[in-house]
Amino acid sequence: VGPLGKPTEIKNYGTVVCAGGGVGTAPLLPIVEALKKAGNRVITVIAGRSKELIILEKEMQEYSDEVIIMTDDGSYGEKMFTTQKLEELIQKGEKFDEIVAVGPPIMMKLVCQIAEKYNIPSVASLTAYMIDGTGMCGGCRCKIGGEDKFVCVDGPEFDGALVDWDDLIKRSAYYKEQEAEDRAHVCRLTGGVRYHD
């Protein structure tokens, strides 16, 4: 299928921070590119647990005025979380006109809370929650500003200050036990080869 949901709102905001965590860096790349081509100053923060999990650094450098790398274990870039770096930049006097976050829900929640704390508009991309793309299955339902929305048709991007992060995180863990069982599954038809690691 082609792109689902509504197009990303791209315009010249001024200075935009684009924060990508883990595989969230992949859907962030076209946003970074479009924001740069619209005339924005783009600061991109890429985060991962370790150096091996940092992706698309070279591609991000092509469209960013600055790329900052963060790793949880300090194996590459700076050893701190995206949220810590973001707050550090703001406290040093950087003025941001928009913050875009794509990644794990807890990272997006904290990034959007920092944006709200400093009165900076934020956008959270909930692309990871899309399932069927029609709004029929309800698997991507989330609460935005107290209303039920479907990521695949109403999103995937929402005002970060309006997302009910606690509900979203709770729903994300709903099938945790079943997912763990699936990862441990050994297929007897393939001679014991495991495909879900």
Side-chain angles (χ1 to χ4, degrees):
V1 298
L4 303 176
K6 297 179 179 175
T8 302
E9 186 176 340
I10 300 294
K11 62 183 181 181
N12 190 333
Y13 296 97
T15 300
V16 182
V17 174
C18 294
V23 295
T25 304
L28 185 64
L29 179 59
I31 296 171
V32 168
E33 179 181 354
L35 286 168
K36 185 62 186 166
K37 288 179 177 178
N40 292 284
R41 176 175 172 247
V42 180
I43 298 173
T44 303
V45 181
I46 305 173
R49 288 191 307 268
S50 63
K51 181 179 182 175
E52 296 77 31
L53 299 174
I54 298 295
I55 61 171
L56 300 172
E57 178 183 2
K58 189 176 117 207
E59 292 83 352
M60 289 296 192
Q61 287 172 342
E62 186 177 344
Y63 299 108
S64 304
D65 293 277
E66 182 179 359
V67 175
I68 301 167
I69 307 293
M70 320 296 301
T71 51
D72 296 355
D73 65 3
S75 58
Y76 190 52
E78 297 183 56
K79 183 181 180 176
M80 66 170 62
F81 296 114
T82 305
T83 50
Q84 293 170 302
K85 187 62 179 180
L86 181 57
E87 192 145 30
E88 178 185 287
L89 291 170
I90 293 169
Q91 289 176 352
K92 283 184 176 176
E94 284 276 7
K95 184 188 177 303
F96 301 124
D97 301 293
E98 180 90 346
I99 296 175
V100 179
V102 190
I106 190 65
M107 182 213 86
M108 292 190 290
K109 172 186 176 177
L110 296 173
V111 165
C112 292
Q113 284 178 341
I114 288 171
E116 195 171 1
K117 176 180 174 181
Y118 292 98
N119 296 314
I120 303 167
S122 67
V123 173
S125 180
L126 308 182
T127 53
Y129 296 92
M130 288 195 266
I131 300 173
D132 74 348
T134 65
M136 295 293 290
C137 77
C140 68
R141 184 176 62 248
C142 56
K143 291 215 177 290
I144 308 294
E147 296 179 26
D148 283 336
K149 299 283 184 182
F150 296 96
V151 175
C152 66
V153 292
D154 298 315
E157 295 158 358
F158 298 99
D159 181 330
L162 299 179
V163 176
D164 184 335
W165 292 106
D166 295 333
D167 182 65
L168 188 71
I169 291 168
K170 182 180 171 186
R171 285 176 50 83
S172 297
Y174 191 74
Y175 293 105
K176 199 172 191 171
E177 288 179 27
Q178 291 87 345
E179 289 168 354
E181 287 174 18
D182 185 50
R183 283 192 296 276
H185 176 73
V186 178
C187 181
R188 59 186 167 84
L189 298 176
T190 60
V193 177
R194 291 170 58 180
Y195 289 100
H196 298 291
D197 286 339

